[in-house]
Each structure stands twice: as structure tokens, then as C-alpha cells.
Amino acid sequence: MVFAAPGEALARAEELLSADPSPLHASVAHQVIGIWQRDFGDTRRALAHLRRARDLAARADSAEREADVLATLGVALVHAGRTRAGLAAFEQGVARGSGHTRARVLYRRAYVWWVLGRHGEALEDVRRAIPVLRQADDVIWTARALTLRATVHLALGSVERADADFTAAEALWDTTGQEHDKADAVESRGLAAFRSGDVPAALRLLDEAEERYAKLGTPTFMLTIRRCEVLMAAGLATEALAEADAAIAVLEGIGGQSTRRAELLLVAARAARLAGEPQTSLARAAVAVRLFAGQRRTWYETHARLVLIEARVATGRGSGRLVADAATVAERLAAFGAPAAPEASLLAGRIALDLGWTADAERHLAVAARSRHSGPPLARMTGWAAQALRARAAGSARGVLEACRRGLDVLDDHRMTLGASELRARATAQGAELAALAQRASLVSGGPRRLLGWSERWRATVLSAPPTRPPADPVLLTAMTAFRELAARAEETRSDGGRPAPALEREQRRLEREIRSRTLHMRGEAPGDGDRFDVGRLLRRLGDEVRLVELAVLDGRVHVLLCGQGRVRRFEAGLLAEAEAEAEHVQAGLRRLAHPGAEARLPLVEAAGARLQHLLLGPAAAHLGSGPVVVVPPGRLHRVPWSLLPALRERVLSVSPSASSWLRARDTAAPPGGRQVLVRGPGLASGGAEIPELAERYGAARTPEDGAAWHRPPGRGYGPGGGVPGAGSSGDGIRHEANDREVRRPATGEGTPDATTGPGGPSTVGGEHVRSPGARVAAEGADGRPPRAGAARSPGGPDRRGGPTVLEGDEARVPRVLRELDGAALAHIAAHGTFRADSPLFSSLRMADGPLIVHDFERLDRSPYRIILPCCDTARFASVGADELLGLVTALLPLGTAGVVACTAPVNDAAAVPLMLALHKGLDAGLSLAEALRDARASLPGDAVHQATGWAFTAFGAA
């Protein structure tokens, strides 16, 4: 019962002991409490109860009972780090037991051999136990033994054998009520999915196991270890480190198993190394090595030593001693049959290469390279990385490029099995070394064209195919709705000057975790050849006028690849680190210029722009010609306001994450019908004052008696299905109350609106009161014209005579907004924007019912062909993986959006309104987004606030 209903079993055992039972029954009760404490509580208490159970079994003169308790005690002693005593208890247990009981003892000893990493002994004991358990028709223990044997097979890399045993065990578990064991079976299937390379299935199964354990109220430290392994493989090392450290704290707090603590420390060490925290990795690995050695767990100790060596290398401690240490670790892992052996050989070879020991390097790399043809994707990539380093050492650029191509092909196939864009982006980190090796080789031997090809090979690859659409999962949809409602309540509390209740914030974080977790479960499409980048095709599409500037970073220096006029030229610019620092200074300057009164900083910001140009473009700036320019920056330069650079300031300028994505945007056709959607979210300082003007420009009009309210003709509904129930929606032609608000704002100075800002929104400039000199903002049309005949439209619904869909007030709710955005030709969303650096796919636009997040956009069949986001931080991204960007704009580009105008910095809300109106004027005249934005900047007043506002906006894509 202790594994079917742990809490009830514990209570029953304690109740039995209070009734003065016989020694035999008391032995069983103490054993149950000992098992519960061993697996879910304090190991010291477990040992005390199990020793008492052993003594009571001896008093009862039951050899079978004593053998059974000795086996349980042996497991507890090993988990407490007392390996010698634990194995001695098993020797006694095997000698005391017979038949069925001895088979159970052998199964438990097999489990201990697995814990100790002695897989041969584990397989031998479980081989002896299974036939006896089957003969006794002991379904539960047979299923446990099969599960254990499968787990040992996985540790040895035998995935097919493991699958067979897991399948057989699962069929047996279905006939029992052993809920904890059933959860363990699901967890084991998750581990098998991971070992076979199916990360989404692994995450789904591990999450299911966690839900099952939670219902039983039992801690899940082994599950945490396995989940962290999967998270690391998915590129989520920082999360894995946080989960492992949290589990260590909990385990230490309850006095839990020493063996699990050592395993968690090993996982934390690996996660810290992958997360770029070598000192943390060094500290965790050193403790793990010490614990494993004390526990006589050589298999685990050897794995911990591998991570320790990797951490030392990462801290710059490469030496001949480390080559020898890594080689020794590789030999031991190979003797164990551990799948990690090629990693150790690759490490030894890499250190030897850095020291110039080419003969030693070749020997170790040749061993590692054997893994390139078989095994899971990441193991094959290890082999191809070793092969590439061998070719580099031999001076074969062709060999380097071939190995890198083969390795990145493996990574591409692996990425396409991942449905979530976040996992696809983060998984590219596994190919960073291969891509860098290929770039260096192509720079030396292939010229600018080849360097461009390899720069594109690993740049913004997540945009190469649309993410898998989230499934019609009712649990996911419910969680997203609940998250939106909670976020809206929290925002309302903040707006009232308070802070959301801790319970509300906790629930919001829980829902975020659930949404993200279920999204990560999505599987991708089957691997395919994809759309390979073709330099010739790019040059043909650029023609003689357009220049594409792709920035490649090699060994910390920016190389400019200038494409156009049928050729690719390479120029060397400055250091990436210096450019990043200068870009941060520019961002700080733009934030300050959003406040009136900072005019004196304008020359400083312009000078910083000139320095950025020198660092990023170098001599290429003099060869840009006079036509349009497309800039393709690396991910770490995504916050550069490119229009501030002197050579680009007066140009038609667009930015693209890659040349491939620019080509796809050029080839994307606008949807038929030319439908426009204008959205005005709540709480804007300007009230989204451009929306009424744009609505009139595109064909909708106000009623003459009230310049703010929208008139819905009698009988016209809110969409294809007719009227929507609610206030003012009776279909009788009255005004819709939710929209009956005119944006009237007192002027300050000469026609200057009062633009009060709020934190986190498009007018955010430090939460201060901002006034923009010279900016005229009016809710009415610029010329006060009466509505055109027949131009009245449905609030929130498309006008059947060609007018736009306007969503504002209560109509600007996420489900309705998404429905209208799907397949639109043009969307303009004036709403508070929030960027989440900690979780970029929860970056949002604030609607009437809460945040519209990136996960919502990914549900669209086709995002708007053109989309304008006059909101702060909408062009901010998180740089992840090899050279990937996660954020709102990059979520839209693979979904059918060909062009986006968005903002890289906080701007003055009032100054943004005339910029937006001028931008749409250009679009109405048939210009592209980049052309219209260039002309809109030129039309603004010359003061510092308006100049900074213009520079903060960027056109992405090619529409």
C-alpha cells in the first residue's frame, strides 16, 4: 500500500503500532514507515524504523520477514551513502530468504546496483529474479523488475530493449492499483522518449508523471533529475539549474537521500556549465565527485569528473594534466558502456588541440568521431564536431565544411521534431561550435559568398518554418483564459496604486508555467530538406539598387558582407563587444530624449550613432550606393536603432533576422481583399489618438452629432454572425456605450497635448509626466470633415463597403482581436506593450480583457500581412541559442507577416501619433513600410523628442 496510497499506508502503520501489535505485525508496520521516510522523508528516521523492523522480525522468528526487511534496510543504507553496510545487509537478506522472498531481495539489490552504476550486476540479479516472480504470479514485483531492467538498458544506451520492457511492465501496471508505481512507469517512458531523441514526448510524459505524484503527495527527486536532463537537451539550461538547486534545498531540508543529493548536484553542475556559469559548475561538480566517491558509486563519480574537467576548461585552465584526466575519464566511461564516452574523448581532443598536441588530439578525436553515424541526434553531433576538428587540424577546409554540414543537418532534423518555437530556437545552441568552425573555414578558403552561405546556415533558423500550431487543447485554452483574467486583475490593482495579492501573483506564475509546459509538448513536422539558402537567388532579387548588409561575427569581430549588383563583398569592422556597449549607450540616450527638456543630449546621441556606424559598418558604409538598404544583424545587436547611423539616416531602411527571411517576406503575397484592422487598447496616454483618424482615412467615419462615437447602421451586426449580446448591441442603431468616449486632451503651450505616461506602456518613459513640444494630437479628423456618405461602420466589425475593422473599448478583447487579425492585410495595434526578458513568449500587448501574448499570435492561421505596433519594446527580443531571437516580431514573421513596424525603445506617446499618421499616409499612397517610415521621419518637426521617436522605430521584413 505504501506505493498505492502512501499517506494512507503511513497512517495505517502508525495506527497499528499504537494498538500493541505482535512482533511480526509490528515489524511490517515499522517497515512501512521506514519505506515512506526513506523515499519521501528523512533518511535517518527511515534507518531507525527499519532497524526496529529487522529486530522485530528476528523476535518473531520469521526468516522470510527478516530477509524482506534486510533488503529494504540495504536500499536505505545505500541511499544514505553507507554503501558497504547496505551491501552487507543484502548479503544477509539473500542468505536468509528463499524462493519468492529471495527473488524480491534480488530485485532490490539489482536496484541498488543500478543506483551504484554497476549495471552488469544489476542485470544479473534482475535476470535471476524475474522468472521466479512470474512463476509466483507476483504481478506488482514482476512489473517493478521489468521497469528496472528497462532503466538499466537505457543507461547502457539500449533503447529498443528498454522499450520492450517498459511496454511489458505498463501492461502489468494497468491491472494493479499501484498508483506510485504507475507514475514511475510514466516517468520511465519519458526517460525512454528522451533517450530516443523525442524531447516533446519526454516533456509531456514527465509532466504527466509529476501530476500523478502530486496527487499522491510524494516528493519527486528522481523525476527532477530526469526533467533537468531533458531541459538541458532542449537548450533550457538555466531552468534546469534553477530546478536542480531548488530540489537540493528541499532534499536537504527534509534530511533526504544522500544519493539523490549527489545526483542533483551532478545535474546542477552540468546545467551551470551549459548556462555559461563555469564557477558554479565547478563548485557543484567538486561536491558531487566527493559524495559519489564516498558512496562508492564509480559510474556516477566518473560522469561528475567529466563535468568537473569541462568546468575547469571553461574557466580557462586548459593544461596537459587535463588532457590526461579527460582521456582517463573517456576510457572509464567506455568500459562502463556509458553513452557519454564520446563527449569525454571530444573534450580530451579539444584541449590537446588548444595546446598544439596534434598527435594526441587526433587519437582522441578519432575515437569521438565514431559516434557520428549512430545514436541519438546530440551524440551524432558530438561525432561530427570531432570530425570537423580532425579536419581542421589536418588543414582540410573542405573536410571541415563537410563535417559541419553533416552535423548541422542532424541538428536540423532534430529541431524539426520540436513543435515549440522556443525549443527550436534554444536547440540551435548545440550547433554553435559547428557553425563557427564552418565560418572560419569559409573565411580562409571560400571567399565572401561562402561565408555568407554559412552565416545564413545557422542564423535565425527558427524562422525557416512556421511553428507547429498549438493543439485544440481545452486545458491549454482554459489556462490561457484564466491567465489573461488574472493578469488583467493584477494590472487593475497596480493602476489603483496597489500591489496584487501574493496569492494572485502565485496563481499567475502557475498558469504561466502550465501554458509554457503544454506548449513545449508540441511535436514538430517530419524532417524535410527545407528551403536552402541560395546566394545567387538573393543577388537576383536585390538587383542593382538594393543593398543587403549581413553582419557576421568571427572571433569577436564584425565582418560586413555587402550584397548587391550581382556580387558579395566583405569588409572588416569593429569588435562586437564594443558595438554592444555603444548600442546600450544609444538606448539610454533615446530613453532620455523621450522626455522634453533633454535637447542638449541630441548631439551626444548623434555622435554615438556615428561611432556605432564605424564599429558595425566600417569601410562598407561608403559603398552602400543610393538605394534601399536591408540590414541583417546578429542576434546580439537586435537593439541597435539602425536609422540613427549617419549612412542610413535618410535611406529606405529595413531590418531582417536573416537574408533567407527577407527573401521569404519578398515572396509573400498580400491576402486578397485588403482588409484593415485597427485596435485601440486601454490605458494609453494619448488614448491611441491616431486610431479615429486612421479609421476615417481608411473609410470609416464618425456620426456628425458626436465626433467620438461610432455609428452602426440598423441591422448590421458585429461580424458574420450578426449582433453580439451585451450593452449597446441590440441592433437598433444606437451608439455602442463601450466606444462612447472621445479622446479630448487639454493643450499645453501651443497645441501640445498632455501625454501622461504609465509604466510598461507605449508612453513609458520612467513613469513620468511627458509633454511633447509641437505634437498636435486630436481625436477628430485633421480637417474636421463630415462623414462620407455610406461610410458608417460597425464598431468592431468589418465594413461591408470597404471600411476597416476598428476594435476599441470592450470590443478590444483577445479572442475578437485574434479573429479579426487572422488573414488581415494591415493591422495597427495601439496598446501598452510589455517585453518579458525572463520569458519572451509572454511578451504582450494589453487588451481590454488582459494581455495578448506571443503564444496567442502563434494560434493564428495567418498573421497580418503588414502589422504596425506603435508600442514600446515591441521590437525587443531575447537572444537565445546560436543566433536566434524570441519576441513578438519574430513570432509574426514565420506566420505570414511580410512586414512589421515596431519600436526598440520607450518613446514619447504624443510624438508617436504624428509619426504613425504620416506612416499610414505613405502606405495609402502605395509605399512599402520602409519607404513610408523614411518619409514619416522626414515629416516630423526637428526637435529632439520627435527625432528620437523616429529613430526608435524600425521596419522589419520586406512588405
Side-chain angles (χ1 to χ4, degrees):
M1 224 181 129
V2 76
F3 294 111
E8 186 179 349
L10 180 64
R12 292 271 294 275
E14 290 172 341
E15 180 184 351
L16 178 63
L17 289 175
S18 68
D20 193 23
S22 68
L24 186 67
H25 292 174
S27 173
V28 174
H30 279 290
Q31 185 180 11
V32 167
I33 297 172
I35 292 172
W36 194 98
Q37 290 288 356
R38 181 196 69 192
D39 289 357
F40 314 129
D42 190 327
T43 307
R44 289 167 297 180
R45 291 183 182 178
L47 291 172
H49 281 284
L50 292 173
R51 289 188 178 110
R52 180 68 174 146
R54 178 197 59 193
D55 295 343
L56 287 165
R59 280 176 54 192
D61 197 23
S62 171
E64 301 300 309
R65 171 106 285 277
E66 190 176 354
D68 198 75
V69 174
L70 282 166
T72 304
L73 177 61
V75 174
L77 285 166
V78 169
H79 276 311
R82 301 178 59 185
T83 301
R84 190 192 299 254
L87 293 176
F90 274 110
E91 287 297 324
Q92 296 177 49
V94 171
R96 295 285 283 164
S98 63
H100 185 203
T101 300
R102 180 181 290 170
R104 289 185 173 190
V105 174
L106 287 172
Y107 156 74
R108 285 143 155 165
R109 189 169 69 175
Y111 167 79
V112 160
W113 290 134
W114 170 71
V115 169
L116 296 174
R118 294 168 66 171
H119 299 112
E121 290 97 326
L123 288 175
E124 175 60 24
D125 271 355
V126 81
R127 182 189 64 79
R128 294 166 59 191
I130 286 176
V132 179
L133 295 171
R134 278 182 169 147
Q135 187 175 8
D137 199 24
D138 190 339
V139 173
I140 291 173
W141 286 78
T142 302
R144 287 174 179 165
L146 289 168
T147 301
L148 174 61
R149 188 168 69 181
T151 305
V152 176
H153 283 318
L154 280 183
L156 295 173
S158 301
V159 178
E160 291 182 1
R161 290 181 180 180
D163 279 339
D165 277 343
F166 279 137
T167 301
E170 193 167 7
L172 293 176
W173 286 127
D174 286 341
T175 67
T176 75
Q178 298 297 114
E179 297 306 320
H180 193 278
D181 284 309
K182 287 181 181 180
D184 184 66
V186 174
E187 177 187 335
S188 298
R189 282 171 46 218
L191 179 61
F194 169 54
R195 293 283 186 251
S196 65
D198 192 343
V199 171
L203 288 170
R204 176 178 56 78
L205 289 164
L206 294 179
D207 285 349
E208 181 185 338
E210 186 174 26
E211 291 174 9
R212 289 172 176 255
Y213 288 130
K215 291 176 182 176
L216 297 171
T218 56
T220 55
F221 299 111
M222 194 69 230
L223 175 69
T224 299
I225 292 166
R226 288 169 172 171
R227 179 173 165 79
C228 287
E229 290 178 351
V230 179
L231 289 174
M232 285 186 281
L236 301 170
T238 302
E239 285 184 37
L241 176 59
E243 287 197 22
D245 281 347
I248 291 168
V250 172
L251 189 68
E252 291 174 343
I254 64 173
Q257 299 170 354
S258 174
T259 50
R260 292 288 178 259
R261 178 169 177 260
E263 291 164 24
L264 283 164
L265 283 165
L266 172 56
V267 165
R270 288 185 57 221
R273 180 183 61 78
L274 293 172
E277 299 183 30
Q279 293 296 342
T280 301
S281 178
L282 203 62
R284 302 283 194 282
V287 178
V289 167
R290 190 164 64 250
L291 286 174
F292 286 132
Q295 294 164 3
R296 300 177 177 231
R297 302 171 72 189
T298 311
W299 192 87
Y300 283 98
E301 180 191 349
T302 307
H303 281 80
R305 289 192 183 279
L306 171 60
V307 180
L308 186 65
I309 297 168
E310 289 172 333
R312 285 174 175 159
V313 171
T315 57
R317 302 184 189 180
S319 66
R321 174 65 182 272
L322 285 183
V323 174
D325 289 347
T328 300
V329 166
E331 290 171 4
R332 288 180 180 171
L333 290 174
F336 291 142
E343 294 179 33
S345 293
L346 174 61
L347 178 62
R350 189 182 284 121
I351 302 169
L353 268 185
D354 290 342
L355 295 173
W357 297 1
T358 53
D360 292 295
E362 167 60 24
R363 185 172 70 256
H364 298 305
L365 292 173
V367 173
R370 294 173 192 160
S371 69
R372 66 190 185 277
H373 295 303
S374 62
L378 299 184
R380 281 181 282 150
M381 286 188 62
T382 296
W384 285 116
Q387 186 69 9
L389 289 173
R390 291 178 72 196
R392 190 185 72 172
S396 171
R398 182 176 179 179
V400 171
L401 295 176
E402 175 63 13
C404 291
R405 181 185 67 79
R406 298 284 295 275
L408 290 175
D409 283 346
V410 172
L411 178 59
D412 284 344
D413 287 346
H414 170 61
R415 277 192 311 107
M416 294 310 293
T417 68
L418 309 174
S421 55
E422 179 177 5
L423 287 189
R424 288 185 182 180
R426 294 186 185 278
T428 59
Q430 308 285 351
E433 181 183 23
L434 287 170
L437 284 169
Q439 283 186 306
R440 292 190 194 101
S442 59
L443 178 64
V444 170
S445 66
R449 278 197 179 217
R450 180 173 285 177
L451 179 57
L452 175 64
W454 278 102
S455 178
E456 280 292 302
R457 182 70 176 78
W458 72 312
R459 183 188 295 268
T461 57
V462 76
L463 304 183
S464 62
T468 301
R469 296 298 193 278
D473 178 355
V475 177
L476 176 60
L477 295 175
T478 300
M480 292 179 76
T481 300
F483 165 76
R484 196 155 32 247
E485 291 172 354
L486 282 175
R489 284 166 54 193
E491 182 61 35
E492 187 177 344
T493 304
R494 292 188 191 96
S495 299
D496 293 339
R499 183 188 171 192
L504 186 68
E505 293 182 327
R506 282 196 303 272
E507 179 63 9
Q508 188 173 341
R509 288 194 296 270
R510 185 194 70 78
L511 287 167
E512 281 190 19
R513 288 194 298 272
E514 181 173 348
I515 292 167
R516 185 163 178 264
S517 175
R518 298 190 79 87
T519 303
L520 297 183
H521 296 169
M522 295 186 302
R523 281 191 57 81
E525 304 297 329
D529 294 334
D531 183 17
R532 293 295 188 196
F533 175 69
D534 181 350
V535 176
R537 176 171 168 250
L538 172 68
L539 294 174
R540 287 192 298 273
R541 294 306 304 269
L542 290 172
D544 292 333
E545 296 299 319
V546 183
R547 299 287 188 277
L548 185 140
V549 177
E550 180 149 329
L551 306 183
V553 179
L554 280 78
D555 300 321
R557 183 167 292 279
V558 178
H559 293 257
V560 183
L561 299 171
L562 181 60
C563 310
Q565 292 184 314
R567 58 178 176 158
V568 181
R569 290 177 286 173
R570 183 179 69 86
F571 300 87
E572 198 168 296
L575 296 176
L576 176 66
E578 293 180 9
E580 287 183 283
E582 198 66 61
E584 287 303 314
H585 293 153
V586 167
Q587 283 290 329
L590 289 179
R591 284 195 295 272
R592 185 65 188 90
L593 286 173
H595 298 270
E599 290 82 359
R601 303 188 68 88
L602 183 61
L604 299 177
V605 172
E606 291 182 309
R611 289 193 296 273
L612 260 182
Q613 176 172 300
H614 173 72
L615 290 167
L616 295 177
L617 299 181
H623 300 273
L624 296 177
S626 58
V629 173
V630 181
V631 176
V632 179
R636 289 167 62 180
L637 293 174
H638 67 275
R639 295 199 68 195
V640 172
W642 295 96
S643 59
L644 176 61
L645 276 57
L648 304 176
R649 201 168 293 172
E650 308 299 327
R651 290 180 183 274
V652 174
L653 170 69
S654 59
V655 174
S656 182
S658 68
S660 299
S661 63
W662 180 81
L663 281 170
R664 282 191 298 276
R666 281 292 299 267
D667 292 340
T668 300
R675 186 165 56 87
Q676 300 123 355
V677 180
L678 308 175
V679 181
R680 175 155 60 170
L684 296 171
S686 70
E690 73 270 24
I691 296 295
E693 172 99 4
L694 295 176
E696 183 168 328
R697 171 177 287 154
Y698 286 120
R702 297 173 193 78
T703 59
E705 65 273 10
D706 187 332
W710 296 101
H711 177 66
R712 178 165 54 84
R716 181 164 305 176
Y718 286 84
V724 175
S729 63
S730 60
D732 58 3
I734 64 171
R735 294 179 309 189
H736 191 274
E737 295 302 321
N739 292 323
D740 193 11
R741 292 196 299 271
E742 181 179 2
V743 182
R744 300 189 184 278
R745 304 169 62 211
T748 57
E750 187 173 347
T752 305
D754 183 342
T756 307
T757 65
S763 58
T764 299
V765 277
E768 299 179 18
H769 188 78
V770 181
R771 299 178 188 277
S772 173
R776 296 182 177 272
V777 181
E780 304 82 35
D783 55 5
R785 292 174 295 174
R788 293 176 296 185
R793 61 105 178 131
S794 162
D799 189 290
R800 290 175 182 149
R801 302 173 211 178
T805 299
V806 181
L807 302 175
E808 54 188 354
D810 198 50
E811 290 292 320
R813 291 176 168 271
V814 170
R816 181 63 190 280
V817 170
L818 288 173
R819 199 159 60 243
E820 298 296 348
L821 291 180
D822 212 330
L826 173 66
H828 180 111
I829 305 177
H832 281 291
T834 302
F835 175 72
R836 287 278 301 274
D838 63 321
S839 192
L841 298 189
F842 280 91
S843 299
S844 63
L845 302 172
R846 184 173 154 205
M847 298 291 109
D849 58 340
L852 172 63
I853 60 177
V854 174
H855 288 298
D856 288 313
F857 279 104
E858 289 188 339
R859 302 187 69 84
L860 295 175
D861 286 331
R862 176 173 179 175
S863 57
Y865 175 70
R866 287 174 172 169
I867 187 164
I868 298 168
L869 301 168
C871 331
C872 290
D873 291 338
T874 47
R876 285 190 62 187
F877 312 100
S879 181
V880 301
D883 197 25
E884 305 292 326
L885 294 171
L886 290 178
L888 183 55
V889 171
T890 53
L892 293 167
L893 292 176
L895 295 173
T897 294
V900 182
V901 167
C903 185
T904 62
V907 293
N908 185 289
D909 196 28
V913 173
L915 179 70
M916 293 297 103
L917 294 175
L919 172 67
H920 280 272
K921 181 179 179 181
L923 295 178
D924 211 20
L927 301 181
S928 69
L929 283 171
E931 291 167 333
L933 184 59
R934 187 270 312 267
D935 291 354
R937 287 195 194 100
S939 72
L940 292 176
D943 59 88
V945 171
H946 285 87
Q947 290 298 305
T949 301
W951 291 330
F953 281 91
T954 300
F956 295 87

